[in-house]
Amino acid sequence: MAEKTTVFVTKANENAPAFAIRSDTDEQVFIPHAAAEAAQLQVGDELVCVLKANDQPDKAPWFSVAFRRIDD
């Protein structure tokens, strides 16, 4: 089942997926490279994400299905 929550980007490098942390549980979120690159994510960005349980939970328990940046 999908969940919607706020996350903060903790890792965003070129040519790699991004990672974030959930604000409600402090669990790690995987953000696919193509989506992170298209949005030009940077460390510290605040996002609202739609999450699902990750198929590879050893990397991160959550997978970002969709997100939008929260503007200051």
Side-chain angles (χ1 to χ4, degrees):
M1 175 176 255
E3 295 185 29
K4 181 178 171 182
T5 191
T6 301
V7 304
F8 295 94
V9 177
T10 57
K11 182 178 178 184
N13 298 326
E14 285 189 39
N15 302 317
F19 290 88
I21 192 162
R22 289 179 63 145
S23 63
D24 57 348
T25 64
D26 291 337
E27 293 175 300
Q28 195 165 15
V29 176
F30 176 86
I31 302 172
H33 169 253
E37 184 176 51
Q40 298 179 345
L41 294 181
Q42 296 181 12
V43 172
D45 284 348
E46 184 177 4
L47 312 171
V48 172
C49 279
V50 176
L51 307 173
K52 71 172 190 82
N54 195 354
D55 295 338
Q56 299 177 0
D58 55 316
K59 293 184 178 183
W62 297 100
F63 182 94
S64 174
V65 176
F67 62 84
R68 70 173 171 81
R69 184 178 275 114
I70 297 175
D71 295 325
D72 294 353

